[in-house]
């Protein structure tokens, strides 16, 4: 993410999203009621000739502004769409007051205007800018002849696989076993190499397959081995990836990876709940009461709840009282656990009875 113009006095910030993570951040920074303007393409009926050029009209690109009524981010297509009432644009092409959907494009500037930019939104914008400079990581979990990959994104884990081999058990007599193992390992390596700019690889899983795989890349793929570390887990697949995150291995390697940070915060909260601690609050009413009393040390709020009524003020109150606000992505396991607790929770400075 890049800020190209910032005038918070006027409530205007112009940014250029550069990655899928940036679009995800923007989907939670932009709120219903904001005004957004950017280049857009719309199909316009052309009546200039004797006949319509096409029943479907012609595509024209122009600058357009709208008051936002709906925000949707589609994770799997990577599309962020803002729908609302048109407030600015070429009046010969589009009627003001009509509805339009603006698709936010990568590497295309978008101007966001708010009545007031809350502290949490500015902080999140800066986090997105900082995060784009951080290292990315890939978790590879191996079990027998199956590999599952987890690419670290700020919004959660992007899973790939399972990648399957055709390796028989050790007790089965198979003269092609070693050849099949090599083919399986190369298949996994081929998948790893599809990702650009991976700075850290965590090779994990139960048993010895992870160690054998690591030994193989040390011999055959030295470049990958230099950025790889081994971690033990009790399970394979996505559960194994989740174990790696909870251990904080990614956090240690990448300094501060957002998903790992969020997962550990949720894990800490659940531990406190598990031991019936009196210094926690969860659910909208209980957490709001704790915020109003100035008792919140750390606020955990689900990203889908951020745009709710008065949420911005509550988050600002926590920060003004020297508390920490952590927005939790709804796209990973930790977010789903927070959702089951009402979408909001807090670690408290003291018991509030």
């Amino acid at each position: 993410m890049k800020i190209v113009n910032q005038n918070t006095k006027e409530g205007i910030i112009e940014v250029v999203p550069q990655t899928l993570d940036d679009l995800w951040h923007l989907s939670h920074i932009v709120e219903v009621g904001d005004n957004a303007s950017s280049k857009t393409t719309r199909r316009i009926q052309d009546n200039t000739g004797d006949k319509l050029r096409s029943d479907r009209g012609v595509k024209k690109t122009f600058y357009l502004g709208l008051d936002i009524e709906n925000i949707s981010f589609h994770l799997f297509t990577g599309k962020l769409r803002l729908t609302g009432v048109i407030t600015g644009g070429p009046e010969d092409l589009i009627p003001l007051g009509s509805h339009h959907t603006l698709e936010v494009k990568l590497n295309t500037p978008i101007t966001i205007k708010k009545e007031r930019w809350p502290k949490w939104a500015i902080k999140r914008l800066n986090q997105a800018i900082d995060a784009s400079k951080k290292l990315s990581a890939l978790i590879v979990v191996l079990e027998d002849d199956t590999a599952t990959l987890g690419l670290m994104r700020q919004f959660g884990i992007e899973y790939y696989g399972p990648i399957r081999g055709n390796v028989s058990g050790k007790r089965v007599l198979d003269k092609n076993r070693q050849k099949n193992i090599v083919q399986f390992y190369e298949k996994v390596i081929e998948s790893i190499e599809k990702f650009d700019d991976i700075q850290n690889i965590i090779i994990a899983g139960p048993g010895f397959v992870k160690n054998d795989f690591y030994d193989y890349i040390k011999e055959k793929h030295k470049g990958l081995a230099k950025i790889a570390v081994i971690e033990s887990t009790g399970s394979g697949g996505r559960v194994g990836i989740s174990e790696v995150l909870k251990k904080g291995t990614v956090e240690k390697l990448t300094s501060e990876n957002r998903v790992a940070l969020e997962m550990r915060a949720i894990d800490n909260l659940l531990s406190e709940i598990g031991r019936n601690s009196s210094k926690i609050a969860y659910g909208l009413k209980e957490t709001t009461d704790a915020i109003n009393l100035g008792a919140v040390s750390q606020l955990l709020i689900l990203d889908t709840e951020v745009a709710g009524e008065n949420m911005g003020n509550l988050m600002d109150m926590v920060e003004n009282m020297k508390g920490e606000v952590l927005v939790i992505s709804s796209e990973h396991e930790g977010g789903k656990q927070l959702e089951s607790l009402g979408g909001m929770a807090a670690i408290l400075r003291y018991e509030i009875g």
Side-chain angles (χ1 to χ4, degrees):
M1 186 96 75
K2 199 164 59 175
I3 294 178
V4 292
N5 181 30
Q6 182 169 350
N7 185 344
T8 42
K9 196 177 280 187
E10 296 289 327
I12 292 169
I13 296 182
E14 185 180 7
V15 298
V16 179
Q18 296 167 305
T19 67
L20 184 61
D21 282 332
D22 291 344
L23 295 181
W24 174 74
H25 275 293
L26 283 176
S27 73
H28 299 298
I29 290 168
V30 175
E31 299 171 275
V32 170
D34 291 350
N35 185 274
S37 50
S38 183
K39 276 185 183 176
T40 189
T41 299
R42 198 176 193 191
R43 200 172 285 280
I44 307 291
Q45 288 291 344
D46 187 347
N47 299 309
T48 54
D50 294 332
K51 296 180 180 178
L52 291 178
R53 284 179 59 179
S54 164
D55 289 337
R56 296 180 64 227
V58 291
K59 279 187 175 181
K60 296 208 172 182
T61 300
F62 47 87
Y63 207 75
L64 177 139
L66 51 81
D67 284 339
I68 300 165
E69 294 180 344
N70 185 57
I71 302 148
S72 65
F73 174 67
H74 300 278
L75 173 60
F76 296 108
T77 59
K79 291 186 186 299
L80 172 59
R81 291 190 173 101
L82 310 175
T83 302
V85 177
I86 297 171
T87 57
E91 291 187 48
D92 58 325
L93 296 178
I94 42 107
L96 299 185
S98 63
H99 279 77
H100 181 70
T101 296
L102 193 66
E103 186 176 318
V104 183
K105 304 272 191 184
L106 293 180
N107 303 311
T108 300
I110 177 168
T111 301
I112 303 156
K113 184 173 182 180
K114 293 177 179 284
E115 280 188 27
R116 180 183 73 89
W117 276 85
K119 284 183 182 176
W120 66 264
I122 297 286
K123 184 179 175 184
R124 182 140 194 180
L125 203 54
N126 289 326
Q127 281 175 343
I129 292 162
D130 290 343
S132 64
K133 301 167 191 169
K134 292 189 189 301
L135 309 178
S136 52
L138 184 70
I139 302 169
V140 182
V141 173
L142 297 112
E143 184 178 29
D144 299 326
D145 62 348
T146 303
T148 306
L149 276 55
L151 179 65
M152 299 295 293
R153 293 271 193 198
Q154 288 168 268
F155 54 74
I157 305 292
E158 216 168 76
Y159 293 102
Y160 296 87
I163 301 160
R164 301 191 191 279
N166 185 29
V167 182
S168 57
K170 285 185 180 178
R171 294 179 184 178
V172 177
L173 206 60
D174 181 0
K175 63 179 181 180
N176 293 320
R177 188 172 188 277
Q178 191 54 41
K179 180 185 170 186
N180 290 341
I181 287 172
V182 169
Q183 284 178 346
F184 169 54
Y185 287 172
E186 286 296 336
K187 204 171 171 184
V188 176
I189 288 159
E190 188 183 330
S191 296
I192 292 170
E193 289 179 336
K194 285 179 183 173
F195 300 105
D196 295 326
D197 304 321
I198 294 298
Q199 302 295 321
N200 298 103
I201 300 170
I202 297 105
I203 299 168
F208 296 102
V209 179
K210 64 181 181 299
N211 303 79
D212 294 341
F213 179 71
Y214 181 65
D215 289 342
Y216 179 80
I217 64 169
K218 273 203 299 188
E219 185 184 342
K220 302 288 185 183
H221 298 270
K222 290 182 172 62
L224 290 181
K226 282 178 184 174
I227 59 170
V229 295
I230 295 180
E231 183 64 81
S232 291
T233 61
S235 306
R238 295 188 179 193
V239 176
I241 290 172
S242 185
E243 281 184 57
V244 172
L245 289 173
K246 286 177 182 175
K247 284 187 172 193
T249 312
V250 178
E251 221 170 350
K252 288 169 199 161
L253 289 173
T254 60
S255 215
E256 184 192 343
N257 183 279
R258 187 164 184 84
V259 180
L261 191 72
E262 291 174 16
M263 291 284 284
R264 285 176 68 105
I266 294 295
D267 215 32
N268 179 46
L269 173 73
L270 295 175
S271 295
E272 292 294 306
I273 291 172
R275 62 187 189 87
N276 294 317
S277 171
S278 302
K279 290 172 72 174
I280 52 160
Y282 55 88
L284 178 60
K285 185 182 184 307
E286 199 176 312
T287 309
T288 302
D289 289 346
I291 293 169
N292 287 327
L293 288 168
V296 173
S297 169
Q298 184 186 55
L299 174 67
L300 308 178
I301 179 166
L302 201 64
D303 56 13
T304 52
E305 301 293 326
V306 164
E309 189 180 352
N310 202 37
M311 286 300 178
N313 290 333
L314 290 172
M315 292 159 78
D316 279 355
M317 279 175 69
V318 172
E319 293 197 326
N320 289 338
M321 294 180 193
K322 308 298 181 192
E324 178 193 8
V325 175
L326 195 56
V327 179
I328 305 292
S329 170
S330 53
E331 299 294 340
H332 58 65
E333 183 196 338
K336 289 172 177 55
Q337 289 168 320
L338 183 59
E339 187 177 20
S340 70
L341 294 171
M344 269 179 96
I347 304 291
L348 307 182
R349 294 188 174 96
Y350 50 83
E351 294 179 21
I352 55 175

